[in-house]
Amino acid sequence: MRILLLGPERLSLLGFLKTFGDEVSRTEERLPTLTRSRPDYDFIVSYGYRHLIRPDWIAAFPQQVVNLHISYLPWNRGSDPNLWSFLDDTPKGVSLHFVDAGLDTGPLIAQREVAMQEAQETLASSYVCLNEAMEELFREHWPVIRAGKSVPVKQIGAGSSHRLKDREAVAHLLTQGWKTPVSELVAAYRAMKEAGIA
């Protein structure tokens, strides 16, 4: 099989995909418009890809475009799901889903809640925790997905979503960047809300 991996380099994920004997290509670039023929891939796997996958690609690869998202969908679709799961006090977890035309709205293949202690985490450490859970979930389910035997289910509920620009309103709270303790971040955000400025 030929797999297209979309997103930044993740050696553990790339190595895992290659254990099946498949040819794996990777890119972070925006996908081009499809012209006459469908590219010669069997599956597209997206993790941390910064661009929306084009509708023509989704149509050309029905239930063959899989996204790894570090939120417990339908909560925290879109950008910075880890950050918003703490600020909005929503469920934390990881989700595998097929990509559709919406933003992280496609049918779920599998998901898992991830318990974290707010008092002991920074955004960076919680991201590491979520990434490990995400790759573990993917490794468990990829053989079934690859065989075309997964049974996806529709997402239920409105959930929540955020765009990259939403972070601008809270960027000043990240006093230590991604190493900001979550407890400090949440306390500062609640103070903003109580003052009516969030």
Side-chain angles (χ1 to χ4, degrees):
M1 284 190 175
R2 295 189 69 222
I3 313 296
L4 176 60
L5 180 59
L6 302 176
E9 186 173 64
R10 298 175 191 273
L11 294 178
S12 59
L13 184 59
L14 187 63
F16 170 74
L17 288 169
K18 287 182 175 181
T19 62
F20 291 83
D22 296 333
E23 179 184 335
V24 184
S25 305
R26 185 189 68 83
T27 185
E28 296 178 58
E29 301 301 317
R30 189 182 301 275
L31 295 173
T33 301
L34 290 183
T35 51
R36 296 177 184 167
S37 60
R38 165 184 143 144
D40 187 23
Y41 296 111
D42 297 287
F43 282 96
I44 299 171
V45 177
S46 172
Y47 188 16
Y49 186 57
R50 292 296 181 184
H51 308 286
L52 286 175
I53 297 174
R54 300 178 52 85
D56 49 345
W57 283 73
I58 296 169
F61 293 90
Q63 292 206 346
Q64 292 168 292
V65 183
V66 179
N67 187 44
L68 289 69
H69 191 65
I70 56 167
S71 85
Y72 195 75
L73 294 172
W75 299 104
N76 303 304
R77 296 177 173 124
S79 297
D80 301 307
N82 185 26
L83 170 68
W84 293 106
S85 71
F86 287 111
L87 294 184
D88 294 339
D89 192 23
T90 51
K92 293 147 187 69
V94 294
S95 303
L96 277 173
H97 68 94
F98 286 119
V99 174
D100 64 7
L103 180 64
D104 298 321
T105 56
L108 292 166
I109 301 166
Q111 61 182 167
R112 178 175 297 153
E113 285 198 73
V114 177
M116 284 184 274
Q117 298 299 318
E118 185 176 296
Q120 300 171 2
E121 299 288 353
T122 65
L123 289 175
S125 68
S126 60
Y127 175 81
V128 168
C129 179
L130 289 169
N131 181 65
E132 289 174 354
M134 183 76 266
E135 291 199 21
E136 180 181 329
L137 187 69
F138 180 75
R139 286 192 297 270
E140 290 173 11
H141 289 271
W142 177 242
V144 175
I145 297 168
R146 185 179 177 278
K149 295 181 179 178
S150 58
V151 182
V153 296
K154 183 178 178 179
Q155 294 186 35
I156 298 173
S160 61
S161 64
H162 294 278
R163 299 286 183 166
L164 189 58
K165 66 180 181 180
D166 294 342
R167 192 201 312 161
E168 294 173 10
V170 297
H172 65 285
L173 302 179
L174 305 180
T175 56
Q176 298 175 54
W178 297 115
K179 293 184 179 179
T180 303
V182 167
S183 56
E184 291 180 16
L185 175 66
V186 169
Y189 185 68
R190 286 177 183 158
M192 279 180 62
K193 290 182 76 172
E194 289 170 7
I197 54 176

